[in-house]
């Protein structure tokens, strides 16, 4: 995999202005080999599950329904540098096909990386929902060691389909995670998404969502909880290509230590997309004098009868609020945690599935110590 | 018993409190009145431990324990409760969760068993009913979107649930209409008893018609310049604060 | 409503076109040879009798420019510019006038026609004017009354001769020659512009203004403006710009530098009405401008207000470097694009010092097949304790063939910083339009009225004399965009 790092996108590209991948160049990434893991690493969820270990489907640990199978399908063409890399080196991924009118319930997709020496993973997943089909997908990435996880997910929702996609990026401290998610959303379909970003030294989640049919709807929320020298980038492009679509986006960044959060969000409204309702908000909380946020909420609008707004706010915890909580007897670290939890609450709104909610709440709880200390 | 001896404090370089002496025995309610800028709010913040106030001299103890050395949450655990003049809004923080977290932190600090959600809600609902407050007060975010009266009632609800030894009411009457004032006063009166004392800070006498104090003190220029019974409040209402600074 | 009535009058006065400044004045001109090379740079410097240090600076800038590439990140498109097919120097042939009485009567008549009488008695009360015609300043009014209070207001060429120490100290100190492609070009070939110096403690007793006119064909205008306000000084400055209607595009690459020392205040207003090209997108000015102010002193303040209605392409980001503790930067902008115009404009607020604050209010109106982009940077550096920024960007689309874009960059490296950005995009609501029309206004007048309301927060920042003019300009610029 020697040519791997030759075609990395550089900072001269506008889309990579705030995120520099050159740290990847310090490692010689090898192709992964299968490994066995302890089933105790899996979250306790009562649902079907797809378990990938080092990019290989772990058949013993997976519980696959009929509509999910391993697949090494052709990659859809893309001009994004990381998607091209994924296509060149791609590994088998999961293919999910939910037939029309089927409510498939919930499924867990978990990718666990066990890197002795540095490895690079390029899975490509495909998730298709037929007309009026429904699915909840809990998508977890975690691992140990130094590795580069560069997955691409291609999602397509037929008319009136509904996908709830809850992502937990909890990669190893030294890991690199660069995920690209394409979502094609047809008329009256809904894509509800929330990403919780906790792990990795350098990460980026990049969404390219297209609202291609009238009445399509997307919720693209995220929370970044970063500390140390973590760098996390949340980039999204939502293209409104049809009339009467709505997009909602709330991204919260909580930054401690020397961490750096990046938000780049673009709403594109094509000429045909009249009556678009677009909303986008990035709010950042800086907990340390060394943390940094770079935020670029962008609107690109070619239709006149639209309602689009975006906003960004940056600030620190409010000392008045901390004092109020402390005067009621709540110790300072707990008071801070409560305020941070309240700060990110709005972003969790799309998480309506009880088990997913509980899982994410626990993950958030687990992140306090790194943020509040 | 709250004992304040020769307490002085400043903000930045400005001397606000210049030697306050005051004793509030257990079970008593004392009022502090005074003109604007006398140092009333500063006294409440110094007693509750807000940042930005530098104590330059004197002591303040509760039942012999030094308050000034403690963090705000430790003072709360020791039994100090400040009803804020301007209660702070906490978007995203549910009121019930907030009060239960506070109550359990205090119980934990005192080495007492914590309350589970069910037991807490039972107790909270009972208080809400007793204080004639709307049921949804617990479900809403702390003070967010509350009217001025609702915010003050929420302070009283917290006070009722946290059961302080000494409550400091900082101009709780400001911005309240007469009905809200009565509800707040009833809330305080309901807590009256041998284990509860209060320091009621106010500019006007009208609150003291509803919370009748055992003693009234006049604070002017950072010092207590007069003390007396409840009749002193009426005297001040009639003659104003003019001339007191010189006393 | 009077503004609307006046607007209609104005529109009716113009035959066949809505651009009323599109005439050409026949003045005998002197040109430097077409093209750009070191010899041209030397020639410009020589024409102006410049000292050696300035020539050296120009040549260094030229060398830097030759190694640079045109920036391509803005959302504007144009055919490649042949920098060797332009005249870099054009000046009226008559020798430079010593006083207003010597100014060519044809020139005076032209400025009269533009509504800028240079005769002091006839001019707007309390406004001093520097008139820049192609490459040179032809007249500056009220110089004597200004010099009585110590204010220097003259062309930059004259300042180089009369006040070389000031020019040398401040020129290029805010916008370095090599800052970007167009500043390097400007630094090499800048011809003229205005120079303002307000000494310590002086409040400039009148509005200062510069009126820029591109007249000659195939000529680039590269003016350079430098304004210095010493400790406690204050000044309000306004620039206006027009050009004849021509089928080819003309280049305008100006640099403006402002310096505010302790407690100084500079208010800089622009009404930019360069020829925008015709309804088919032929002709018009390429307006590639770098404007930057340095709030060097504590509690200093720089306020930019711009009304951008002209130019085929606008590429312009008036910025503030907030270095002095407690300094304040402001940017108020209205940008209107119609037909095939392209505007990519906004600001940069760089917070370096503690307790600095900035406000950005930008209103974009797109009509026809135009594209209108707000691009703005707010950067809070690690030492900028308690910095504050508030940004509000609103876009209005008229018709469904235009584009409105908002591209803010927000970078914060201090936890005590507080940054708020809000942006909205909408169209004129049908019920607003119907309400106005039901009261008897035509659709076009209704749009004018609503657009003026949409821009009110910015227009109120303009000096009184120009606010009315700007309102009229908005309505005229949107002519033909509805119905």
């Amino acid at each position: 995999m020697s040519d791997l790092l030759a075609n990395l996108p550089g900072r001269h590209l506008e889309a990579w202005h705030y995120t520099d991948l050159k740290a990847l160049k310090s490692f010689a990434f090898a192709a992964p080999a299968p490994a066995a893991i302890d089933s105790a690493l899996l979250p306790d969820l009562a649902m079907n599950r797809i378990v990938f270990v080092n990019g290989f489907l772990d058949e013993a640990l997976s519980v696959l329904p009929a509509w999910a199978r391993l697949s090494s399908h052709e990659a859809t063409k893309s001009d994004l540098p990381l998607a091209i890399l994924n296509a060149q080196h791609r590994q088998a991924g999961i293919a999910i096909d939910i037939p029309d009118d089927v409510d498939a319930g919930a499924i867990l997709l978990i990718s666990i990386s066990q890197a002795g020496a540095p490895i690079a993973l390029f899975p490509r997943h495909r998730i298709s929902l037929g007309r009026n089909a429904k699915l909840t997908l809990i998508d977890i990435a975690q691992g140990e060691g130094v590795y580069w996880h560069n997955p691409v997910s291609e999602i397509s929702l037929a008319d009136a389909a509904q996908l709830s996609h809850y992502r937990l990026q909890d990669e190893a401290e030294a890991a690199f995670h660069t995920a690209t998610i394409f979502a094609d959303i047809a008329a009256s379909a809904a894509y509800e998404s929330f990403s919780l970003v906790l792990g990795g030294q350098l990460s980026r989640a990049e969404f390219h969502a297209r609202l291609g049919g009238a009445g399509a709807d997307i919720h693209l929320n995220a929370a970044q909880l970063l500390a140390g020298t973590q760098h996390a980038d949340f980039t999204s492009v939502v293209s409104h290509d049809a009339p009467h679509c709505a997009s909602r986006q709330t991204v919260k960044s909580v930054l401690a230590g020397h961490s750096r959060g990046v938000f780049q969000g673009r709403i594109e409204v094509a000429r045909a997309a009249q009556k678009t309702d677009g909303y986008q908000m990035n709010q950042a909380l800086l907990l340390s004098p060394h943390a940094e946020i770079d935020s670029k909420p962008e609107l690109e609008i070619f239709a006149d009868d639209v309602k689009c707004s975006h906003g960004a706010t940056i600030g620190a915890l409010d000392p008045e609020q901390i004092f109020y909580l402390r005067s009621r007897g709540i110790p300072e670290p707990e008071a801070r945690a409560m305020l941070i939890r309240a700060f990110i609450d709005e972003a969790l709104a799309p998480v309506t599935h009880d088990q997913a909610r509980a899982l994410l709440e626990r993950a958030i709880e687990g992140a306090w110590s790194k943020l509040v200390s | 018993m709250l004992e304040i001896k020769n307490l002085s404090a400043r903000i930045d370089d400005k001397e606000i409190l210049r030697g306050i002496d005051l004793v509030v025995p257990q079970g008593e309610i004392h009022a502090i009145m005074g003109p604007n800028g006398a140092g009333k709010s500063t006294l409440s913040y110094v007693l509750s431990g807000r940042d930005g106030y530098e104590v330059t001299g004197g002591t303040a103890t509760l039942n012999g324990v030094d308050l000034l050395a403690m963090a705000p949450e430790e003072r709360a655990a020791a039994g100090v409760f400040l009803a804020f003049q301007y209660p702070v809004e906490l978007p995203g923080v549910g009121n019930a969760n907030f009060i239960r977290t506070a109550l359990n932190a205090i119980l934990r600090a005192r080495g007492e068993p914590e309350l589970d959600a069910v037991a807490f809600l039972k107790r909270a609902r009972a208080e809400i009913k007793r204080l004639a407050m709307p049921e949804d007060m617990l479900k809403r975010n702390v003070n967010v979107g509350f009217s001025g009266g609702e915010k003050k009632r929420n302070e009283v609800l917290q006070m009722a649930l946290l059961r302080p030894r000494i409550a400091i009411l900082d101009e709780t009457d400001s911005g309240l209409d007469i009905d809200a004032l009565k509800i707040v006063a009833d809330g305080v009166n309901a807590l009256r008893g041998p284990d509860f004392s209060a320091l009621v800070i106010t500019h006007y006498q009208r609150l003291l018609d509803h919370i009748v104090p055992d003693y009234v003190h006049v604070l002017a220029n950072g010092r207590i310049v007069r003390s007396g019974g409840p009749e002193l409040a009426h005297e001040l209402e009639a003659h104003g604060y003019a001339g007191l600074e010189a006393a | 409503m009077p503004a609307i009535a006046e607007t209609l009058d104005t529109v009716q006065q113009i035959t066949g076109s809505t651009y009323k400044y599109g005439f050409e004045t026949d003045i005998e001109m002197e040109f430097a040879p077409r093209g750009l090379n070191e010899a041209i740079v030397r020639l410009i410097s020589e024409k102006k009798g410049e000292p050696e240090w300035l020539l050296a600076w120009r040549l260094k800038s030229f060398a830097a420019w030759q190694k640079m590439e045109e920036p391509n990140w803005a959302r504007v498109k144009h055919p490649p510019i042949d920098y060797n097919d332009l005249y870099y120097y054009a000046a009226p042939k008559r020798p430079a006038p010593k006083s207003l009485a010597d100014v060519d009567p044809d020139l005076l008549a032209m400025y009269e026609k533009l509504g800028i009488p240079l005769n002091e008695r006839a001019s707007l009360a309390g406004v001093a004017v520097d008139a820049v015609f192609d490459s040179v300043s032809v007249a500056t009014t009220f110089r004597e009354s200004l010099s009585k209070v110590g204010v220097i207001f003259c062309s930059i060429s004259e300042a180089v001769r009369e006040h070389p120490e000031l020019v040398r100290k401040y020129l290029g100190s805010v916008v370095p020659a090599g800052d970007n492609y167009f500043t390097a070009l400007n630094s090499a070939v800048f011809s003229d512009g205005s120079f303002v110096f307000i000494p310590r403690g002086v409040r400039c007793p009148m509005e200062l203004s510069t009126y820029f006119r591109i007249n000659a064909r195939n000529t680039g205008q590269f003016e350079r403006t430098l304004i210095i306000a010493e400790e406690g000084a204050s000044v309000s400055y306004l620039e206006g710009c027009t050009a004849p209607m021509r089928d080819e595009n003309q280049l305008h690459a100006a640099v403006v530098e402002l310096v505010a020392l302790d407690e100084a205040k500079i208010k800089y207003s622009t009404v930019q009405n360069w020829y925008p090209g015709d309804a088919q997108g032929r002709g018009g000015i390429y307006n590639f401008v770098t404007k930057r102010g340095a709030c060097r002193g504590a509690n200093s303040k720089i306020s930019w207000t711009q009304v951008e209605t002209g130019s085929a392409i606008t590429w312009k980001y008036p910025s503030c470097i907030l270095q002095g503790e407690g300094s304040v930067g402001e940017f108020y902008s209205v940008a209107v694009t119609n037909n095939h115009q392209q505007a990519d404009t906004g600001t940069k607020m760089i917070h370096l010092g503690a307790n600095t604050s900035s406000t950005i209010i930008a209103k974009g109106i797109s009509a026809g097949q135009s594209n209108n982009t707000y691009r703005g940077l707010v950067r809070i550096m690690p030492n900028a304790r308690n910095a504050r920024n508030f940004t509000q960007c609103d876009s209005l689309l008229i018709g469904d063939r235009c584009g409105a874009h908002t591209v803010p960059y927000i970078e914060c490296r201090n936890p005590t910083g507080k940054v708020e950005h809000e942006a909205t995009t909408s169209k004129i609501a049908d019920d607003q339009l119907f309400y106005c029309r039901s009261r008897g206004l035509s659709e076009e007048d209704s749009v004018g009225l609503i657009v003026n309301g949409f821009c009110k927060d910015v227009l109120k920042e303009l000096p009184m004399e120009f606010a009315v003019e700007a309102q009229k300009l908005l309505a005229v610029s949107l002519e033909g965009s509805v119905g």
Side-chain angles (χ1 to χ4, degrees), chain C residues 248-461:
Chain C
E248 75 267 23
N249 296 107
Q250 280 183 284
L251 179 64
H252 172 251
V255 172
V256 174
E257 296 179 275
L258 313 182
V259 178
L261 303 184
D262 286 0
E263 312 280 337
K265 291 185 172 47
I266 301 175
K267 183 176 174 64
Y268 193 109
S269 312
T270 303
V271 175
Q272 187 266 102
N273 189 23
W274 295 120
Y275 177 53
D278 66 12
Q280 280 70 48
R282 279 189 305 257
I285 301 289
Y286 291 168
N287 191 35
F288 301 146
V289 173
T290 301
K291 294 182 169 181
R292 195 174 301 157
C295 282
R296 297 219 173 121
N299 302 314
S300 54
K301 178 176 175 183
I302 288 179
S303 179
W304 299 99
T305 303
Q306 62 174 24
V307 175
E308 302 282 319
T309 59
S311 297
I313 299 177
T314 298
W315 180 100
K316 178 181 170 188
Y317 315 91
S319 306
C320 296
I321 316 274
L322 302 168
Q323 185 180 357
E325 190 162 330
S327 58
V328 176
E330 294 177 340
F331 176 74
Y332 298 98
S333 170
V334 169
V336 182
T337 53
N338 196 356
N339 299 319
H340 291 267
Q341 280 178 279
Q342 306 173 62
D344 193 300
T345 184
T347 184
K348 294 184 203 174
M349 293 289 176
I350 313 290
H351 292 255
L352 299 172
N355 301 312
T356 48
S357 65
S358 59
T359 304
I360 299 170
I361 309 284
K363 308 277 180 179
I365 298 133
S366 327
Q369 299 175 58
S370 68
N371 272 296
N372 197 328
T373 302
Y374 166 82
R375 187 182 302 276
L377 168 69
V378 174
R379 179 181 285 155
I380 312 278
M381 296 298 282
N383 290 329
R385 269 180 298 108
N386 297 317
R388 296 282 175 271
N389 164 266
F390 175 76
T391 300
Q392 170 91 46
C393 298
D394 297 311
S395 305
L396 198 62
L397 292 112
I398 301 176
D400 62 359
R401 289 173 306 158
C402 52
H405 319 297
T406 313
V407 192
Y409 300 71
I410 303 159
E411 304 173 3
C412 184
R413 294 196 222 160
N414 188 305
T416 60
K418 204 167 175 173
V419 181
E420 285 176 74
H421 171 99
E422 293 172 17
T424 63
T425 300
S426 53
K427 67 166 195 166
I428 293 177
D430 291 341
D431 54 350
Q432 291 175 325
L433 210 52
F434 174 69
Y435 188 75
C436 293
R437 296 176 74 185
S438 73
R439 294 293 177 268
L441 277 82
S442 71
E443 186 169 7
E444 207 142 72
D445 287 353
S446 305
V447 168
L449 192 73
I450 294 165
V451 166
N452 270 310
F454 175 75
C455 300
K456 200 169 138 217
D457 290 345
V458 173
L459 296 178
K460 73 177 170 42
E461 296 296 324

Side-chain angles (χ1 to χ4, degrees), chain C residues 117-196:
Chain C
L118 296 178
N119 175 330
E120 288 186 10
R121 268 166 310 167
S123 64
L124 287 165
V127 181
V129 178
D130 182 22
V132 176
F133 185 78
D134 291 330
S135 302
V136 295
S137 166
V138 292
T140 310
T141 65
F142 291 106
R143 300 176 48 157
E144 272 157 42
S145 33
L146 288 169
S147 72
K148 279 189 194 127
V149 291
V151 171
I152 303 169
F153 179 38
C154 61
S155 72
I156 197 137
S157 311
E158 195 179 336
V160 169
R161 289 194 302 272
E162 308 290 328
H163 310 282
E165 71 298 337
L166 285 175
V167 176
R168 197 169 183 179
K169 181 169 175 191
Y170 290 108
L171 186 74
S173 75
V174 184
V175 180
D179 186 81
N180 65 61
Y181 187 79
F182 298 112
T183 59
L185 178 62
N186 175 287
S187 301
V189 302
F190 76 90
S191 36
D192 219 335
S194 299
F195 177 80
V196 176

